[in-house]
């Protein structure tokens, strides 16, 4: 891990892997209306995705309100996919997102996975600070998109 493995959330925020704490309605609203990769996603699909993932959240310690969400799709042995990372607009720029992703990354790494993948159009700089790099050999990777 890089020195970012010790990043802490700003005072007043806490990290959790407790799925019971996730505000499913809020997460669905964030993603389906404000996340380019999930625009229009149905709540049913969001709930299905969450049910087969490790769900992560950041919460305001004073109010208990959720301010960030992500999920990890993993076999808990070799591979993980980091998905649906979202930080509420009201806390962006406060260091919550970077510290959150560092905590998620470290949680997934603790399983011993060999790689954690993600896709982003606009947050390369955030992820690069946390040790994520572009694929070394993208010609090896393929995707199948059922019609």
């Amino acid at each position: 891990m890089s020195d970012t493995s010790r990043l802490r959330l700003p005072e007043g925020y806490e990290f959790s892997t407790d799925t019971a704490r996730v505000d499913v309605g809020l997460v669905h609203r964030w993603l389906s209306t404000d996340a380019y990769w999930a625009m229009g996603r149905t709540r049913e699909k969001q709930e299905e995705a969450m049910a087969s993932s490790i769900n992560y959240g950041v919460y305001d310690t004073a109010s208990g309100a959720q301010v960030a969400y992500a999920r990890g799709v993993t076999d808990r042995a070799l591979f993980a996919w980091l998905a649906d990372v979202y930080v509420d607009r009201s806390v962006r720029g406060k260091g919550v997102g970077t510290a959150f992703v560092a905590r998620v990354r470290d949680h997934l790494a603790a399983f011993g996975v060999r790689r954690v993948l993600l896709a982003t159009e606009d947050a390369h700089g955030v992820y690069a600070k946390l040790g994520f790099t572009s694929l070394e050999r993208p010609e090896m990777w393929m995707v199948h998109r059922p019609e």
Side-chain angles (χ1 to χ4, degrees):
M1 308 264 166
S2 67
D3 58 354
T4 61
S5 65
R6 289 189 214 91
L7 274 176
R8 293 181 180 260
L9 285 165
E11 178 125 3
Y13 297 97
E14 67 178 329
F15 172 84
S16 177
T17 61
D18 182 358
T19 298
R21 290 185 71 184
V22 175
D23 183 336
V24 178
L26 176 64
V27 169
H28 174 254
R29 190 183 60 194
W30 281 341
L31 296 176
S32 67
T33 65
D34 194 39
Y36 67 84
W37 66 91
M39 296 295 285
R41 183 183 292 167
T42 67
R43 180 161 173 159
E44 177 182 62
K45 277 295 179 191
Q46 185 62 45
E47 289 178 3
E48 286 178 31
M50 293 170 80
S52 58
S53 300
I54 300 171
N55 295 278
Y56 301 97
V58 173
Y59 302 87
D60 181 294
T61 55
S63 69
Q66 186 168 358
V67 298
Y69 174 78
R71 61 189 184 89
V73 182
T74 182
D75 59 11
R76 298 177 191 239
L78 301 173
F79 174 84
W81 179 264
L82 177 56
D84 290 341
V85 178
Y86 188 91
V87 177
D88 187 87
R89 290 183 178 274
S90 68
V91 298
R92 291 181 189 173
K94 297 180 179 182
V96 171
T98 302
F100 177 44
V101 172
R103 292 289 304 271
V104 172
R105 176 205 59 197
D106 294 349
H107 185 264
L108 291 168
F111 293 116
V113 297
R114 294 183 59 200
R115 63 180 56 93
V116 177
L117 293 174
L118 63 86
T120 184
E121 284 185 6
D122 57 1
H124 294 83
V126 171
Y127 294 109
K129 286 189 280 188
L130 299 170
F132 287 85
T133 61
S134 296
L135 293 173
E136 290 175 21
R137 296 183 54 205
E139 69 278 5
M140 289 180 50
W141 296 86
M142 298 180 74
V143 62
H144 176 262
R145 291 189 174 100
E147 293 183 34

